[in-house]
């Protein structure tokens, strides 16, 4: 029984590290375990300038990369409230220096880097949800701020902001 108790924690560690190694590019071990820190404050990987707004949840940054906000989804261009979400994103970040925080995944299936985007102590992902320009859209393993996003969406719905306003996307029949 003692042998099992000694082997189990090490086996769990080996499985965890092995899984991370298979899903990560080659990096020092310390960077493979970003979730081990119990610090509530974000760890910013870099600071960049936003060079272009693609839509409400996607931006181009000064490194030449396309970035998709983690944990949220905004209407597409041409869809109801799509132009409003894009405009709000533009107001918040275009031509501004932002700090980027990584969760677990590096990129999405389209090759866009995935990050939480901050200006000072304001997370833009959360701000778009709180003001009603985005909905919560969580894809594991990137779930660090899901509870914050759910609370922000609840607040936007209760206060009928943006997407949640009455008749915001009602279609009127012209015939």
């Amino acid at each position: 029984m003692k042998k099992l108790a000694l082997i189990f924690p090490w086996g769990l560690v080996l499985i965890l590290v092995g899984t991370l190694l298979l899903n990560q590019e080659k990096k020092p071990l310390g960077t493979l375990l970003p979730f081990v820190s119990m610090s509530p404050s974000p760890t910013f990987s870099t600071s960049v300038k936003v060079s272009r707004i693609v839509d409400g949840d996607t931006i181009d940054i000064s490194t030449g990369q396309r970035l998709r906000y983690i944990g949220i989804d905004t209407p597409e261009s041409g869809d109801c409230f799509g132009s409003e979400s894009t405009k709000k994103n533009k107001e918040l970040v275009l031509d501004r220096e932002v700090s980027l925080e990584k969760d677990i995944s590096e990129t999405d299936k389209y090759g866009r880097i995935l990050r939480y985007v901050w200006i000072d102590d304001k997370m833009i992902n959360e701000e778009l949800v709180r003001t009603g320009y985005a909905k919560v859209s969580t894809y594991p393993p990137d779930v660090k701020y899901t509870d914050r996003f759910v609370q922000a969406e609840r607040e936007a719905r209760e206060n009928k902001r943006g997407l949640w306003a009455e008749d915001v996307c009602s279609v009127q029949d012209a015939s």
Side-chain angles (χ1 to χ4, degrees):
M1 188 64 152
K2 282 186 178 181
K3 287 182 182 180
L4 182 60
L6 291 173
I7 293 171
F8 179 73
W10 286 110
L12 188 59
V13 168
L14 289 174
I15 291 169
L16 176 63
V17 171
T19 301
L20 289 170
L21 287 172
L22 289 173
N23 294 321
Q24 298 284 328
E25 57 198 70
K26 292 183 180 179
K27 294 181 180 181
L29 184 58
T31 62
L32 293 175
L33 303 172
F35 52 86
V36 172
S37 170
M38 298 307 282
S39 172
S41 60
T43 304
F44 300 123
S45 59
T46 188
S47 181
V48 296
K49 188 172 184 177
V50 176
S51 56
R52 180 174 173 264
I53 305 301
V54 176
D55 59 24
D57 54 29
T58 307
I59 59 177
D60 289 342
I61 57 177
S62 57
T63 61
Q65 296 170 294
R66 183 150 290 176
L67 181 149
R68 174 72 159 74
Y69 296 150
I70 297 174
I72 70 168
D73 188 40
T74 61
E76 298 300 321
S77 298
D79 289 347
C80 175
F81 218 68
S83 62
E84 291 86 348
S85 293
T86 300
K87 182 179 176 186
K88 183 63 173 179
N89 193 18
K90 185 176 187 177
E91 289 172 11
L92 291 170
V93 300
L94 184 61
D95 295 326
R96 299 198 55 195
E97 287 288 324
V98 297
S99 297
L100 306 180
E101 179 186 6
K102 182 181 173 196
D103 200 332
I104 304 297
S105 302
E106 183 66 33
T107 60
D108 67 6
K109 64 183 179 180
Y110 302 107
R112 301 174 294 191
I113 63 170
L114 297 169
R115 298 292 186 272
Y116 301 105
V117 177
W118 297 79
I119 294 179
D120 299 322
D121 62 348
K122 182 190 299 187
M123 186 197 320
I124 303 305
N125 316 46
E126 181 180 22
E127 181 68 13
L128 287 165
V129 174
R130 184 174 312 288
T131 54
Y133 290 91
K135 296 178 181 180
V136 177
S137 182
T138 302
Y139 293 93
D142 301 304
V143 297
K144 182 175 183 177
Y145 294 113
T146 299
D147 291 342
R148 284 175 67 160
F149 296 158
V150 168
Q151 179 58 38
E153 184 174 298
R154 183 177 303 122
E155 185 181 314
R157 282 177 185 255
E158 289 171 359
N159 292 291
K160 296 180 177 18
R161 294 185 194 130
L163 288 162
W164 313 114
E166 291 182 24
D167 299 327
V168 73
C169 292
S170 63
V171 177
Q172 297 182 2
D173 188 0
S175 55

